[in-house]
Amino acid sequence: MSASFFPDLSNMEVAPERNAWEPVPAGTYQAKVRSAEYGATSARSKNPGAPMLICDWEIADGDHQGKTVRNWTVFTFKNRINPELVAHLRAAGLYPSTKAEIVKALGVDREKTFNLLLTKIIGCEATIEVTEQEGRIRTDLDGNNIPKVDPSTGEIVTDENGDTVWERWPSRSNVNKVAFPKERKPAKGGFTI
């Protein structure tokens, strides 16, 4: 392997221990967008490779202040614009009001519009609904489920019915719903990017 394959770790801090990351409990929180980027849905999704907006939300108050949760918003589903994407665009002041402006912003100038979204969505505040999702079953490199093993006996763990218990990744928090406060509307005279 070449040296360029390995990242330069010399200026990085060591991450907290794995167990130090606890999921944010299910509930409703005030939060703001801390970071945003674009990605694509996985090969296992219903619509593989579909573009999506990925936002990290920072909890603004309470016992979990400062913790972050992630939300994935696909651009389209069933050949229509995802209304959640529209809410993000409106919160950033980027959603046009007329059909002609929509065609320009989301058609002709879409790259410019979506690049602006990445910067203008940072700091936007909303009420978010967080759900806790059980961790997925861990698999080996061949895709086979990994059984849970009792460390003291080395035996595979079974449940009360005698079925194998599978190793799972840690549970994670997901943003299930985002409710931005009063949506910003484009300035009179049309939409500009």
Side-chain angles (χ1 to χ4, degrees), residues 26-81:
T28 302
Y29 300 91
Q30 295 302 307
K32 66 180 177 181
V33 178
R34 188 169 89 181
S35 65
E37 63 183 329
Y38 293 118
T41 56
S42 72
R44 297 182 310 209
S45 75
K46 293 177 187 174
N47 189 8
M52 63 181 165
L53 172 66
I54 304 165
C55 290
D56 287 329
W57 290 87
E58 183 175 325
I59 306 296
D61 57 6
D63 293 342
H64 304 288
Q65 183 176 0
K67 288 189 175 183
T68 59
V69 289
R70 183 164 276 189
N71 145 262
W72 298 263
T73 304
V74 294
F75 285 17
T76 61
F77 61 89
K78 298 182 182 176
N79 295 320
R80 294 182 182 217
I81 298 172

Short mmCIF file of all heavy atoms in Angstrom, two decimals, residues 26-81:
data_model
loop_
_atom_site.label_atom_id
_atom_site.label_comp_id
_atom_site.label_asym_id
_atom_site.label_seq_id
_atom_site.Cartn_x
_atom_site.Cartn_y
_atom_site.Cartn_z
N ALA A 26 -34.66 9.08 23.00
CA ALA A 26 -35.81 9.50 22.20
C ALA A 26 -36.50 10.67 22.89
O ALA A 26 -36.59 10.71 24.11
CB ALA A 26 -36.77 8.33 22.02
N GLY A 27 -36.95 11.63 22.10
CA GLY A 27 -37.64 12.79 22.65
C GLY A 27 -37.63 13.95 21.69
O GLY A 27 -37.14 13.83 20.56
N THR A 28 -38.15 15.07 22.13
CA THR A 28 -38.20 16.29 21.33
C THR A 28 -37.21 17.29 21.91
O THR A 28 -37.18 17.50 23.13
CB THR A 28 -39.63 16.86 21.34
OG1 THR A 28 -40.52 15.86 20.83
CG2 THR A 28 -39.74 18.10 20.47
N TYR A 29 -36.41 17.89 21.04
CA TYR A 29 -35.34 18.78 21.47
C TYR A 29 -35.27 20.03 20.60
O TYR A 29 -35.62 19.98 19.42
CB TYR A 29 -33.97 18.07 21.36
CG TYR A 29 -33.84 16.83 22.18
CD1 TYR A 29 -34.17 15.58 21.64
CD2 TYR A 29 -33.40 16.88 23.50
CE1 TYR A 29 -34.05 14.41 22.38
CE2 TYR A 29 -33.28 15.72 24.25
CZ TYR A 29 -33.60 14.49 23.69
OH TYR A 29 -33.49 13.35 24.44
N GLN A 30 -34.77 21.12 21.18
CA GLN A 30 -34.40 22.30 20.41
C GLN A 30 -32.96 22.05 19.95
O GLN A 30 -32.13 21.60 20.74
CB GLN A 30 -34.47 23.57 21.26
CG GLN A 30 -35.87 23.92 21.72
CD GLN A 30 -36.81 24.11 20.55
OE1 GLN A 30 -36.55 24.86 19.63
NE2 GLN A 30 -37.92 23.38 20.57
N ALA A 31 -32.70 22.32 18.67
CA ALA A 31 -31.38 22.03 18.13
C ALA A 31 -31.05 23.00 17.00
O ALA A 31 -31.92 23.70 16.50
CB ALA A 31 -31.32 20.59 17.63
N LYS A 32 -29.77 23.00 16.62
CA LYS A 32 -29.36 23.80 15.47
C LYS A 32 -28.42 22.95 14.61
O LYS A 32 -27.76 22.03 15.11
CB LYS A 32 -28.69 25.09 15.90
CG LYS A 32 -27.38 24.92 16.61
CD LYS A 32 -26.80 26.26 17.01
CE LYS A 32 -25.50 26.03 17.79
NZ LYS A 32 -24.91 27.28 18.22
N VAL A 33 -28.38 23.27 13.33
CA VAL A 33 -27.53 22.52 12.40
C VAL A 33 -26.08 22.91 12.67
O VAL A 33 -25.72 24.09 12.62
CB VAL A 33 -27.89 22.81 10.93
CG1 VAL A 33 -26.95 22.06 10.00
CG2 VAL A 33 -29.34 22.43 10.65
N ARG A 34 -25.26 21.92 13.00
CA ARG A 34 -23.84 22.15 13.26
C ARG A 34 -23.00 21.96 12.01
O ARG A 34 -22.02 22.66 11.78
CB ARG A 34 -23.34 21.23 14.37
CG ARG A 34 -21.93 21.58 14.80
CD ARG A 34 -21.54 20.86 16.03
NE ARG A 34 -20.94 19.59 15.65
CZ ARG A 34 -20.50 18.70 16.50
NH1 ARG A 34 -20.62 18.91 17.78
NH2 ARG A 34 -19.96 17.58 16.10
N SER A 35 -23.38 20.97 11.18
CA SER A 35 -22.65 20.75 9.93
C SER A 35 -23.60 20.11 8.92
O SER A 35 -24.62 19.53 9.30
CB SER A 35 -21.43 19.85 10.16
OG SER A 35 -21.84 18.56 10.56
N ALA A 36 -23.25 20.26 7.66
CA ALA A 36 -24.06 19.69 6.59
C ALA A 36 -23.16 19.27 5.44
O ALA A 36 -22.11 19.87 5.20
CB ALA A 36 -25.08 20.72 6.10
N GLU A 37 -23.57 18.20 4.78
CA GLU A 37 -22.83 17.70 3.62
C GLU A 37 -23.80 16.92 2.74
O GLU A 37 -24.93 16.65 3.13
CB GLU A 37 -21.66 16.81 4.05
CG GLU A 37 -22.11 15.54 4.78
CD GLU A 37 -20.94 14.69 5.27
OE1 GLU A 37 -19.88 14.69 4.62
OE2 GLU A 37 -21.10 14.03 6.30
N TYR A 38 -23.34 16.58 1.57
CA TYR A 38 -24.16 15.75 0.68
C TYR A 38 -23.61 14.34 0.66
O TYR A 38 -22.42 14.11 0.86
CB TYR A 38 -24.18 16.33 -0.74
CG TYR A 38 -24.90 17.64 -0.80
CD1 TYR A 38 -24.25 18.80 -1.18
CD2 TYR A 38 -26.23 17.73 -0.42
CE1 TYR A 38 -24.92 20.01 -1.21
CE2 TYR A 38 -26.89 18.93 -0.43
CZ TYR A 38 -26.24 20.07 -0.83
OH TYR A 38 -26.90 21.25 -0.84
N GLY A 39 -24.50 13.40 0.42
CA GLY A 39 -24.12 12.00 0.29
C GLY A 39 -25.08 11.32 -0.66
O GLY A 39 -25.88 11.98 -1.33
N ALA A 40 -25.00 10.02 -0.70
CA ALA A 40 -25.89 9.23 -1.55
C ALA A 40 -26.38 8.03 -0.75
O ALA A 40 -25.68 7.55 0.15
CB ALA A 40 -25.16 8.76 -2.81
N THR A 41 -27.58 7.58 -1.06
CA THR A 41 -28.13 6.42 -0.37
C THR A 41 -27.29 5.19 -0.69
O THR A 41 -26.65 5.11 -1.73
CB THR A 41 -29.60 6.19 -0.77
OG1 THR A 41 -29.67 6.06 -2.18
CG2 THR A 41 -30.48 7.33 -0.31
N SER A 42 -27.31 4.23 0.22
CA SER A 42 -26.47 3.05 0.07
C SER A 42 -27.01 2.11 -1.00
O SER A 42 -28.16 2.21 -1.43
CB SER A 42 -26.39 2.29 1.40
OG SER A 42 -27.63 1.66 1.67
N ALA A 43 -26.19 1.17 -1.38
CA ALA A 43 -26.57 0.18 -2.38
C ALA A 43 -27.72 -0.68 -1.88
O ALA A 43 -28.46 -1.26 -2.68
CB ALA A 43 -25.37 -0.68 -2.74
N ARG A 44 -27.90 -0.78 -0.55
CA ARG A 44 -28.97 -1.61 0.02
C ARG A 44 -30.31 -0.88 0.11
O ARG A 44 -31.31 -1.48 0.46
CB ARG A 44 -28.59 -2.06 1.43
CG ARG A 44 -27.37 -2.94 1.48
CD ARG A 44 -27.10 -3.38 2.89
NE ARG A 44 -27.13 -2.19 3.76
CZ ARG A 44 -26.45 -2.07 4.87
NH1 ARG A 44 -25.70 -3.03 5.27
NH2 ARG A 44 -26.51 -0.97 5.59
N SER A 45 -30.35 0.42 -0.20
CA SER A 45 -31.59 1.18 -0.05
C SER A 45 -32.55 0.91 -1.20
O SER A 45 -32.19 0.31 -2.20
CB SER A 45 -31.29 2.68 0.05
OG SER A 45 -30.95 3.17 -1.22
N LYS A 46 -33.79 1.39 -1.04
CA LYS A 46 -34.81 1.22 -2.09
C LYS A 46 -34.45 1.99 -3.35
O LYS A 46 -34.87 1.63 -4.44
CB LYS A 46 -36.18 1.69 -1.58
CG LYS A 46 -36.73 0.84 -0.48
CD LYS A 46 -38.06 1.41 0.02
CE LYS A 46 -38.53 0.64 1.24
NZ LYS A 46 -39.73 1.24 1.82
N ASN A 47 -33.69 3.07 -3.20
CA ASN A 47 -33.29 3.91 -4.32
C ASN A 47 -31.78 4.15 -4.23
O ASN A 47 -31.34 5.23 -3.84
CB ASN A 47 -34.08 5.23 -4.27
CG ASN A 47 -33.88 6.06 -5.51
OD1 ASN A 47 -33.27 5.64 -6.48
ND2 ASN A 47 -34.37 7.28 -5.46
N PRO A 48 -30.96 3.14 -4.59
CA PRO A 48 -29.51 3.24 -4.39
C PRO A 48 -28.90 4.42 -5.16
O PRO A 48 -29.27 4.70 -6.28
CB PRO A 48 -28.97 1.92 -4.93
CG PRO A 48 -30.13 1.08 -5.26
CD PRO A 48 -31.36 1.91 -5.22
N GLY A 49 -27.98 5.11 -4.49
CA GLY A 49 -27.25 6.20 -5.11
C GLY A 49 -28.01 7.51 -5.19
O GLY A 49 -27.52 8.48 -5.78
N ALA A 50 -29.19 7.59 -4.58
CA ALA A 50 -29.97 8.83 -4.62
C ALA A 50 -29.29 9.91 -3.78
O ALA A 50 -28.81 9.63 -2.68
CB ALA A 50 -31.39 8.58 -4.11
N PRO A 51 -29.25 11.16 -4.26
CA PRO A 51 -28.60 12.22 -3.48
C PRO A 51 -29.40 12.56 -2.23
O PRO A 51 -30.63 12.47 -2.23
CB PRO A 51 -28.57 13.40 -4.45
CG PRO A 51 -29.62 13.13 -5.46
CD PRO A 51 -29.77 11.65 -5.54
N MET A 52 -28.67 12.94 -1.18
CA MET A 52 -29.33 13.32 0.06
C MET A 52 -28.51 14.37 0.79
O MET A 52 -27.29 14.46 0.61
CB MET A 52 -29.58 12.11 0.94
CG MET A 52 -28.37 11.40 1.42
SD MET A 52 -28.84 9.98 2.43
CE MET A 52 -27.30 9.10 2.45
N LEU A 53 -29.19 15.14 1.62
CA LEU A 53 -28.58 16.12 2.48
C LEU A 53 -28.40 15.46 3.84
O LEU A 53 -29.33 14.87 4.38
CB LEU A 53 -29.49 17.35 2.61
CG LEU A 53 -29.10 18.41 3.62
CD1 LEU A 53 -27.79 19.08 3.21
CD2 LEU A 53 -30.21 19.45 3.74
N ILE A 54 -27.19 15.56 4.40
CA ILE A 54 -26.89 14.97 5.70
C ILE A 54 -26.58 16.12 6.66
O ILE A 54 -25.65 16.88 6.43
CB ILE A 54 -25.69 14.00 5.62
CG1 ILE A 54 -25.95 12.93 4.56
CG2 ILE A 54 -25.40 13.39 6.98
CD1 ILE A 54 -24.70 12.16 4.14
N CYS A 55 -27.39 16.25 7.71
CA CYS A 55 -27.18 17.33 8.69
C CYS A 55 -26.88 16.73 10.05
O CYS A 55 -27.54 15.78 10.47
CB CYS A 55 -28.43 18.20 8.81
SG CYS A 55 -28.76 19.22 7.37
N ASP A 56 -25.90 17.31 10.73
CA ASP A 56 -25.64 16.99 12.13
C ASP A 56 -26.27 18.10 12.96
O ASP A 56 -25.96 19.29 12.78
CB ASP A 56 -24.14 16.91 12.41
CG ASP A 56 -23.53 15.65 11.84
OD1 ASP A 56 -24.22 14.62 11.77
OD2 ASP A 56 -22.35 15.69 11.45
N TRP A 57 -27.19 17.70 13.84
CA TRP A 57 -27.93 18.63 14.69
C TRP A 57 -27.33 18.61 16.09
O TRP A 57 -27.13 17.53 16.66
CB TRP A 57 -29.40 18.21 14.76
CG TRP A 57 -30.12 18.43 13.48
CD1 TRP A 57 -30.21 17.57 12.43
CD2 TRP A 57 -30.86 19.58 13.11
NE1 TRP A 57 -30.96 18.12 11.43
CE2 TRP A 57 -31.38 19.36 11.83
CE3 TRP A 57 -31.15 20.78 13.76
CZ2 TRP A 57 -32.17 20.29 11.17
CZ3 TRP A 57 -31.93 21.70 13.10
CH2 TRP A 57 -32.44 21.46 11.82
N GLU A 58 -27.07 19.78 16.64
CA GLU A 58 -26.55 19.90 18.00
C GLU A 58 -27.70 20.28 18.93
O GLU A 58 -28.40 21.27 18.70
CB GLU A 58 -25.47 20.97 18.06
CG GLU A 58 -24.83 21.10 19.43
CD GLU A 58 -23.68 22.08 19.43
OE1 GLU A 58 -22.95 22.17 18.43
OE2 GLU A 58 -23.54 22.77 20.46
N ILE A 59 -27.88 19.47 19.98
CA ILE A 59 -28.93 19.74 20.97
C ILE A 59 -28.58 21.05 21.68
O ILE A 59 -27.45 21.23 22.14
CB ILE A 59 -29.05 18.58 21.99
CG1 ILE A 59 -29.26 17.23 21.29
CG2 ILE A 59 -30.14 18.87 23.02
CD1 ILE A 59 -30.51 17.09 20.50
N ALA A 60 -29.56 21.96 21.77
CA ALA A 60 -29.29 23.32 22.26
C ALA A 60 -29.50 23.49 23.76
O ALA A 60 -29.03 24.47 24.33
CB ALA A 60 -30.16 24.32 21.50
N ASP A 61 -30.22 22.57 24.40
CA ASP A 61 -30.51 22.80 25.82
C ASP A 61 -30.74 21.47 26.54
O ASP A 61 -30.73 20.41 25.94
CB ASP A 61 -31.72 23.71 25.99
CG ASP A 61 -32.97 23.18 25.29
OD1 ASP A 61 -32.94 22.04 24.77
OD2 ASP A 61 -33.99 23.88 25.27
N GLY A 62 -30.94 21.57 27.85
CA GLY A 62 -31.26 20.40 28.65
C GLY A 62 -30.06 19.53 28.97
O GLY A 62 -28.91 19.91 28.78
N ASP A 63 -30.37 18.32 29.46
CA ASP A 63 -29.33 17.39 29.90
C ASP A 63 -28.41 16.93 28.77
O ASP A 63 -27.31 16.46 29.03
CB ASP A 63 -29.96 16.14 30.53
CG ASP A 63 -30.69 16.46 31.83
OD1 ASP A 63 -30.41 17.53 32.42
OD2 ASP A 63 -31.52 15.64 32.26
N HIS A 64 -28.87 17.04 27.54
CA HIS A 64 -28.10 16.52 26.41
C HIS A 64 -27.51 17.63 25.55
O HIS A 64 -27.09 17.40 24.42
CB HIS A 64 -28.96 15.57 25.59
CG HIS A 64 -29.50 14.46 26.43
ND1 HIS A 64 -28.71 13.44 26.91
CD2 HIS A 64 -30.73 14.27 26.95
CE1 HIS A 64 -29.44 12.64 27.67
NE2 HIS A 64 -30.67 13.12 27.71
N GLN A 65 -27.47 18.84 26.10
CA GLN A 65 -26.93 19.99 25.39
C GLN A 65 -25.53 19.68 24.87
O GLN A 65 -24.70 19.12 25.59
CB GLN A 65 -26.88 21.20 26.30
CG GLN A 65 -26.40 22.46 25.61
CD GLN A 65 -26.46 23.68 26.52
OE1 GLN A 65 -26.88 23.59 27.67
NE2 GLN A 65 -26.07 24.81 26.00
N GLY A 66 -25.29 20.01 23.60
CA GLY A 66 -23.98 19.80 22.99
C GLY A 66 -23.84 18.48 22.26
O GLY A 66 -22.96 18.33 21.43
N LYS A 67 -24.71 17.49 22.58
CA LYS A 67 -24.65 16.22 21.87
C LYS A 67 -25.22 16.40 20.46
O LYS A 67 -26.03 17.30 20.22
CB LYS A 67 -25.42 15.13 22.60
CG LYS A 67 -24.75 14.67 23.87
CD LYS A 67 -25.45 13.46 24.43
CE LYS A 67 -24.69 12.91 25.62
NZ LYS A 67 -25.32 11.69 26.14
N THR A 68 -24.80 15.56 19.56
CA THR A 68 -25.28 15.67 18.18
C THR A 68 -26.00 14.42 17.73
O THR A 68 -25.72 13.32 18.21
CB THR A 68 -24.12 15.96 17.20
OG1 THR A 68 -23.17 14.90 17.28
CG2 THR A 68 -23.45 17.28 17.47
N VAL A 69 -26.93 14.63 16.82
CA VAL A 69 -27.64 13.54 16.15
C VAL A 69 -27.68 13.86 14.67
O VAL A 69 -27.60 15.03 14.28
CB VAL A 69 -29.08 13.34 16.70
CG1 VAL A 69 -29.06 12.75 18.08
CG2 VAL A 69 -29.87 14.61 16.70
N ARG A 70 -27.79 12.84 13.87
CA ARG A 70 -27.71 13.00 12.42
C ARG A 70 -29.06 12.76 11.78
O ARG A 70 -29.86 11.97 12.25
CB ARG A 70 -26.68 12.02 11.87
CG ARG A 70 -26.46 12.15 10.39
CD ARG A 70 -25.21 11.46 9.97
NE ARG A 70 -24.12 12.41 10.20
CZ ARG A 70 -22.88 12.23 9.79
NH1 ARG A 70 -22.56 11.13 9.17
NH2 ARG A 70 -21.96 13.12 10.01
N ASN A 71 -29.26 13.46 10.67
CA ASN A 71 -30.49 13.31 9.90
C ASN A 71 -30.13 13.27 8.42
O ASN A 71 -29.25 13.99 7.96
CB ASN A 71 -31.41 14.47 10.29
CG ASN A 71 -32.28 15.03 9.21
OD1 ASN A 71 -31.94 16.02 8.63
ND2 ASN A 71 -33.40 14.43 8.99
N TRP A 72 -30.77 12.36 7.70
CA TRP A 72 -30.54 12.17 6.27
C TRP A 72 -31.83 12.54 5.54
O TRP A 72 -32.88 11.97 5.83
CB TRP A 72 -30.21 10.71 5.96
CG TRP A 72 -28.96 10.23 6.60
CD1 TRP A 72 -27.73 10.16 6.02
CD2 TRP A 72 -28.78 9.69 7.92
NE1 TRP A 72 -26.81 9.64 6.90
CE2 TRP A 72 -27.43 9.35 8.08
CE3 TRP A 72 -29.65 9.51 9.00
CZ2 TRP A 72 -26.91 8.82 9.25
CZ3 TRP A 72 -29.13 8.98 10.17
CH2 TRP A 72 -27.79 8.63 10.28
N THR A 73 -31.74 13.45 4.58
CA THR A 73 -32.91 13.88 3.83
C THR A 73 -32.66 13.63 2.35
O THR A 73 -31.84 14.31 1.73
CB THR A 73 -33.20 15.39 4.05
OG1 THR A 73 -33.34 15.62 5.45
CG2 THR A 73 -34.45 15.82 3.32
N VAL A 74 -33.35 12.62 1.78
CA VAL A 74 -33.21 12.37 0.34
C VAL A 74 -33.90 13.49 -0.42
O VAL A 74 -34.87 14.07 0.05
CB VAL A 74 -33.77 10.98 -0.08
CG1 VAL A 74 -32.95 9.86 0.53
CG2 VAL A 74 -35.23 10.85 0.29
N PHE A 75 -33.38 13.80 -1.60
CA PHE A 75 -33.93 14.90 -2.39
C PHE A 75 -35.31 14.58 -2.95
O PHE A 75 -36.17 15.44 -2.99
CB PHE A 75 -33.01 15.22 -3.57
CG PHE A 75 -31.74 15.94 -3.20
CD1 PHE A 75 -31.27 15.99 -1.90
CD2 PHE A 75 -30.99 16.56 -4.18
CE1 PHE A 75 -30.10 16.66 -1.58
CE2 PHE A 75 -29.82 17.23 -3.87
CZ PHE A 75 -29.37 17.27 -2.57
N THR A 76 -35.48 13.37 -3.42
CA THR A 76 -36.74 13.02 -4.07
C THR A 76 -37.20 11.64 -3.62
O THR A 76 -36.40 10.82 -3.18
CB THR A 76 -36.60 12.98 -5.61
OG1 THR A 76 -35.64 11.99 -5.96
CG2 THR A 76 -36.19 14.33 -6.17
N PHE A 77 -38.50 11.40 -3.74
CA PHE A 77 -39.04 10.06 -3.63
C PHE A 77 -40.29 10.01 -4.48
O PHE A 77 -41.01 11.00 -4.59
CB PHE A 77 -39.28 9.63 -2.18
CG PHE A 77 -40.24 10.47 -1.41
CD1 PHE A 77 -41.60 10.18 -1.43
CD2 PHE A 77 -39.81 11.55 -0.66
CE1 PHE A 77 -42.50 10.95 -0.72
CE2 PHE A 77 -40.70 12.33 0.05
CZ PHE A 77 -42.06 12.03 0.02
N LYS A 78 -40.50 8.88 -5.11
CA LYS A 78 -41.64 8.69 -6.01
C LYS A 78 -41.73 9.81 -7.04
O LYS A 78 -42.78 10.34 -7.34
CB LYS A 78 -42.94 8.57 -5.21
CG LYS A 78 -42.95 7.36 -4.29
CD LYS A 78 -44.26 7.23 -3.56
CE LYS A 78 -44.17 6.02 -2.63
NZ LYS A 78 -45.35 5.87 -1.82
N ASN A 79 -40.56 10.21 -7.59
CA ASN A 79 -40.45 11.22 -8.63
C ASN A 79 -41.02 12.58 -8.23
O ASN A 79 -41.55 13.32 -9.06
CB ASN A 79 -41.10 10.74 -9.94
CG ASN A 79 -40.35 9.56 -10.51
OD1 ASN A 79 -39.12 9.52 -10.46
ND2 ASN A 79 -41.07 8.60 -11.02
N ARG A 80 -40.95 12.90 -6.95
CA ARG A 80 -41.39 14.21 -6.45
C ARG A 80 -40.33 14.75 -5.51
O ARG A 80 -39.58 14.00 -4.90
CB ARG A 80 -42.71 14.10 -5.71
CG ARG A 80 -43.83 13.71 -6.64
CD ARG A 80 -45.13 13.65 -5.91
NE ARG A 80 -46.15 13.23 -6.86
CZ ARG A 80 -47.37 13.68 -6.85
NH1 ARG A 80 -47.74 14.54 -5.95
NH2 ARG A 80 -48.23 13.27 -7.74
N ILE A 81 -40.32 16.07 -5.35
CA ILE A 81 -39.38 16.70 -4.43
C ILE A 81 -39.82 16.36 -3.01
O ILE A 81 -40.99 16.52 -2.65
CB ILE A 81 -39.35 18.23 -4.61
CG1 ILE A 81 -38.87 18.59 -6.02
CG2 ILE A 81 -38.45 18.88 -3.56
CD1 ILE A 81 -39.01 20.07 -6.34
#
